[in-house]
Amino acid sequence: MSTKSQSIDRKSQDERLRRVSKLKKLLNRPELGALGGSILVFIFFGIIAGDSGMFSAYGTLNFLEVSSNLGIIAIGAAMLMIGGEFDLSVGSMIGFAGICIAIPAIYWGWPLWSSILFAFSMAVLIGYANGILVVRTGLPSFIVTLAMLFILRGATLALTRLITGRTQVPGLRVLIENDPIAWIFSADVFSGLFVWLGSLGLIALRQDGTPLATGVPTSVIWWIGLTIFATWILMKTRYGNWIFASGGDKLGARNVGVPVARVKISLFIGTAVCATIYACVQVLDAGSADTMRGFLKELEAIVAAVVGGCLLTGGYGSAIGAAFGALIFGTVSMGIYYTDVDTDWFKVFLGAMMLIAVIFNNFVRRRVTENK
Amino acid sequence: MNTDTIVEFNNISKFFGSVIALKNVTMHVKKGEIMCLLGDNGAGKSTLIKTLSGVHKPNEGEIIVEGKKTTFDSPRDALDLGIATVYQDLALVSLMSVTRNFFMGREPMKGFGLFKVFDIEKANAVAAERMGQIGIDVRDPSQAVGTMSGGERQCLAISRAIYFGAKVLILDEPTSALGVHQASVVLKYIVKAASEGLGVILITHNVHHAYPVGDRFTILNRGKSMGTYPKKDLSREKLLSMMAGGEELDKLEVELKEMDRISKFNN
Ligand SMILES: Nc1ncnc2c1ncn2[C@@H]1O[C@H](COP(=O)(O)OP(=O)(O)O)[C@@H](O)[C@H]1O
Ligand SMILES: [Mg+2]
């Protein structure tokens, strides 16, 4: 009798223990800070700018588009940072990929799809170069990719001026329409849905009766898709385990059989490919390439990844966190126009956000790694 | 050499720049035996086993695995031949979970083709079971290794190596960070592994840990082998004195006597 009640007691106690540890586990998730931050940002703008049109269909798509652009490169940056490295050449890669699309298509008469493929192959090549240099020389990736930042931006400018005599390459818009793959980066998705919502009077219309928000930009789909893909890789695959291991302790990882060099090189290719997706989205949307496109974007991507919970020292972080980091960034950078606050303050916010995130991450790391 | 020999080292030398870490070291290990590698700090023990586990390439000499001359380009090559190592620095990532560390580099998979995924449930179960066998109760295999004590980490590294070490198990100072009880648990576990047919290379500078479990003893001093002796030819005292420390203690005794004599003479 007494033993029975004891065992029941035990059981209920065990269940309580488990619940506590689940909560603790949640507190230890890297993306927690960015998730909380996103909620705070939405509450803030909900109160301050709730009736200003920021959260209308048009306004929402606006800040989602800005977030998604950054999100695309932030995912790559986050994966690389978890793998223990940085890539400062992302912004320059965006500019370079842009002219790799525009110059062959406009000056050399290549079909648009082939110049897009050309840009992606250049990205693989440059990512590989970054990776092999870091792995072979053992130099910090900070230095190697900083050099690449200047080399790529300089080459972009010099080549564009040499071939076109200018720093911008317009005229792509006409080529998009009949291209078999350009729509992957430039179409509006669910536009039928938006027409329907407009006809019901649920969203704002233009004077000609078409909805103001014409559809979800493909960049948003890319952003969500890449986040899911990266999360799947990190959590569910062998390669994901290798990424964490390579960033956490590269010698230890190598000693137990992880191909650390291969993992790191592939992650550098990943950031360059993400930069090229970003370039495709922007260049095809604007219809022109600009040699300065992507300027400073590498830093914004790193901010988003860090706000999303990635440790600067590697081995810890998440793709979902980086996606939320980008969402915070995009929401604030657009939302600030709907408030009375001078937009000059945006960068102040950005810096403060990053500082808070780093302090918070440090605290999380200590919780995770220190003995009870 | 007899057919039970799994791994042979012939005249291995390893240089780091101008440092001669190893010079002409010869050694072998047989199935089911525990070969102890002894030597003082800096003798080159870790360097020797790192050449056998593929971390370093030897500058001279050859490694023969099951009769075949072999070179290792990376630790993965050695692992693929069934040679698993517990490194002195353990090769654990403290930010990663127990399970993810246990299977780091050798993750069990499920599913087909492109959708092959890391079978985390199976991995969790195996990790917890294996840790249980060595006396560590892991309640939550998804907890970070950083939260474990030094002894628990050592046991994780050891049970991981035993799980993957199909033929040869190399342990670099596995007991140096452990308390008396935990050390005896680990030593028992190593004896069990050898009795199941593994060849074990046990590195230590603690004679009291090596002598009870070892079958043969190789003594390394300043990068050179002082020879290999079966247990029957070697008493604990002789083993102690053969290690660099022993010789030096003898010398120290002589010197102290000398100083004593001189001071007496001066008085
Ligand atoms: N990677 C390295 N680079 C240069 N010297 C090294 C390296 N590894 C070991 N050594 C040197 O080789 C010698 C043997 O070291 P080690 O094998 O670690 O000794 P033990 O494990 O017996 O204490 C030491 O003098 C050490 O300084
Ligand atoms: Mg050593």
Side-chain angles (χ1 to χ4, degrees):
Chain A
M1 180 69 197
S2 78
T3 48
K4 198 175 177 187
S5 77
Q6 226 176 12
S7 80
I8 288 169
D9 254 18
R10 256 261 190 81
K11 216 175 175 184
S12 61
Q13 212 179 8
D14 259 18
E15 271 165 14
R16 258 176 68 190
L17 259 178
R18 206 170 294 144
R19 220 177 306 151
V20 172
S21 85
K22 247 187 196 155
L23 182 70
K24 230 170 94 184
K25 248 188 233 169
L26 194 72
L27 284 176
N28 285 345
R29 292 294 316 160
E31 57 272 349
L32 181 79
L35 179 63
S38 305
I39 293 169
L40 282 182
V41 162
F42 278 109
I43 291 174
F44 175 79
F45 283 107
I47 293 169
I48 279 209
D51 49 7
S52 65
M54 179 178 172
F55 294 103
S56 68
Y58 183 70
T60 305
L61 286 178
N62 240 343
F63 72 72
L64 280 184
E65 184 168 9
V66 173
S67 307
S68 66
N69 282 336
L70 177 60
I72 289 168
I73 49 173
I75 303 295
M79 300 278 277
L80 181 64
M81 206 183 284
I82 295 170
E85 306 291 344
F86 291 103
D87 187 352
L88 294 182
S89 68
V90 167
S92 300
M93 184 65 223
I94 292 170
F96 186 67
I99 66 148
C100 284
I101 297 166
I103 290 179
I106 294 187
Y107 285 82
W108 303 342
W110 294 20
L112 188 56
W113 62 266
S114 67
S115 59
I116 290 173
L117 290 185
F118 173 64
F120 276 102
S121 17
M122 290 309 286
V124 171
L125 216 66
I126 289 161
Y128 183 80
N130 273 333
I132 203 99
L133 277 170
V134 167
V135 168
R136 283 284 158 84
T137 61
L139 288 170
S141 50
F142 183 86
I143 298 298
V144 172
T145 58
L146 184 62
M148 193 60 92
L149 177 155
F150 288 113
I151 293 171
L152 272 184
R153 184 68 74 190
T156 303
L157 198 59
L159 288 173
T160 309
R161 251 210 262 269
L162 195 70
I163 297 168
T164 73
R166 307 193 288 179
T167 60
Q168 280 184 328
V169 188
L172 281 165
R173 194 165 292 286
V174 286
L175 300 175
I176 297 171
E177 265 156 43
N178 298 318
D179 194 79
I181 64 170
W183 62 271
I184 305 175
F185 303 102
S186 68
D188 279 340
V189 187
F190 306 128
S191 39
L193 176 72
F194 280 76
V195 171
W196 182 65
L197 287 175
S199 71
L200 291 183
L202 290 174
I203 58 174
L205 298 175
R206 286 177 209 276
Q207 257 148 11
D208 62 4
T210 57
L212 192 56
T214 50
V216 179
T218 10
S219 63
V220 174
I221 309 295
W222 275 103
W223 177 40
I224 295 169
L226 281 173
T227 306
I228 294 170
F229 180 60
T231 303
W232 179 75
I233 285 185
L234 286 173
M235 304 312 293
K236 292 281 178 198
T237 70
R238 169 179 280 173
Y239 177 61
N241 209 35
W242 292 355
I243 294 173
F244 282 111
S246 302
D249 180 354
K250 66 176 177 197
L251 288 181
R254 179 176 181 268
N255 284 354
V256 293
V258 175
V260 174
R262 247 169 47 207
V263 169
K264 293 203 170 191
I265 291 170
S266 66
L267 290 173
F268 277 108
I269 294 176
T271 54
V273 166
C274 285
T276 306
I277 295 173
Y278 180 107
C280 286
V281 167
Q282 292 237 317
V283 166
L284 297 183
D285 183 51
S288 72
D290 185 320
T291 51
M292 285 317 282
R293 201 175 280 287
F295 184 63
L296 286 184
K297 285 296 165 194
E298 61 283 332
L299 296 183
E300 292 179 9
I302 290 173
V303 171
V306 169
V307 168
C310 292
L311 287 181
L312 290 157
T313 43
Y316 192 75
S318 88
I320 295 178
F324 277 114
L327 180 64
I328 292 175
F329 190 102
T331 308
V332 176
S333 68
M334 286 289 105
I336 206 161
Y337 290 106
Y338 292 91
T339 65
D340 300 331
V341 183
D342 195 325
T343 51
D344 294 345
W345 290 99
F346 175 64
K347 293 242 160 65
V348 176
F349 163 82
L350 200 64
M353 191 75 205
M354 170 130 177
L355 257 183
I356 293 169
V358 172
I359 293 167
F360 182 80
N361 288 350
N362 219 22
F363 164 76
V364 171
R365 173 190 19 205
R366 240 181 267 145
R367 278 184 52 102
V368 173
T369 55
E370 269 168 26
N371 207 334
K372 274 122 203 177
Chain B
M1 212 154 272
N2 113 24
T3 49
D4 271 358
T5 302
I6 313 176
V7 178
E8 273 176 77
F9 266 139
N10 287 332
N11 295 311
I12 294 285
S13 298
K14 176 72 194 172
F15 316 124
F16 293 112
S18 60
V19 178
I20 301 173
L22 295 170
K23 187 70 195 166
N24 289 337
V25 176
T26 295
M27 187 180 91
H28 71 272
V29 64
K30 288 186 281 202
K31 232 178 234 171
E33 76 164 356
I34 298 180
M35 223 288 302
C36 289
L37 185 60
L38 292 132
D40 214 351
N41 287 330
K45 306 181 296 292
S46 295
T47 307
L48 181 59
I49 62 99
K50 279 184 180 163
T51 59
L52 177 51
S53 47
V55 177
H56 299 318
K57 267 191 175 168
N59 296 91
E60 292 168 4
E62 52 183 20
I63 300 171
I64 295 169
V65 181
E66 296 188 309
K68 259 186 277 169
K69 190 170 181 296
T70 314
T71 52
F72 299 131
D73 289 323
S74 78
R76 197 165 186 96
D77 293 348
L79 273 163
D80 288 341
L81 286 180
I83 301 172
T85 307
V86 178
Y87 297 92
Q88 199 164 5
D89 49 21
L90 300 183
L92 294 174
V93 180
S94 51
L95 283 161
M96 282 164 68
S97 73
V98 172
T99 301
R100 282 178 175 268
N101 267 285
F102 196 101
F103 287 97
M104 188 159 76
R106 328 226 96 201
E107 296 78 4
M109 305 299 280
K110 66 177 178 194
F112 298 98
L114 274 178
F115 295 99
K116 252 198 196 145
V117 295
F118 181 11
D119 189 350
I120 206 110
E121 287 81 28
K122 184 181 163 201
N124 275 336
V126 172
E129 186 204 322
R130 287 294 172 139
M131 292 291 282
Q133 284 174 8
I134 200 167
I136 307 288
D137 176 25
V138 190
R139 259 165 299 143
D140 177 12
S142 66
Q143 90 187 77
V145 160
T147 62
M148 297 172 96
S149 74
E152 288 173 324
R153 287 182 212 202
Q154 189 81 48
C155 289
L156 169 54
I158 293 170
S159 48
R160 173 176 70 184
I162 290 181
Y163 185 72
F164 292 112
K167 289 175 198 148
V168 179
L169 180 63
I170 305 171
L171 302 121
D172 194 355
E173 313 250 5
T175 53
S176 60
L178 301 181
V180 178
H181 172 69
Q182 200 71 57
S184 72
V185 170
V186 164
L187 288 171
K188 257 185 249 163
Y189 202 56
I190 293 168
V191 171
K192 186 169 154 260
S195 72
E196 284 164 6
L198 254 70
V200 177
I201 299 176
L202 173 63
I203 296 162
T204 175
H205 58 241
N206 188 331
V207 174
H208 304 294
H209 287 165
Y211 197 76
V213 299
D215 297 306
R216 286 185 306 124
F217 302 86
T218 299
I219 294 121
L220 214 57
N221 186 11
R222 298 175 59 80
K224 292 204 181 87
S225 171
M226 317 261 297
T228 301
Y229 305 88
K231 195 169 190 165
K232 63 174 172 28
D233 297 349
L234 203 65
S235 70
R236 196 185 287 244
E237 288 66 37
K238 189 165 169 215
L239 184 58
L240 261 172
S241 73
M242 281 189 71
M243 287 177 61
E247 260 171 39
E248 257 158 46
L249 286 177
D250 287 349
K251 237 194 261 165
L252 180 66
E253 210 168 326
V254 173
E255 276 167 23
L256 282 175
K257 271 186 194 148
E258 189 77 0
M259 274 164 64
D260 209 29
R261 217 164 49 99
I262 291 169
S263 65
K264 262 185 203 147
F265 183 79
N266 284 348
N267 287 342

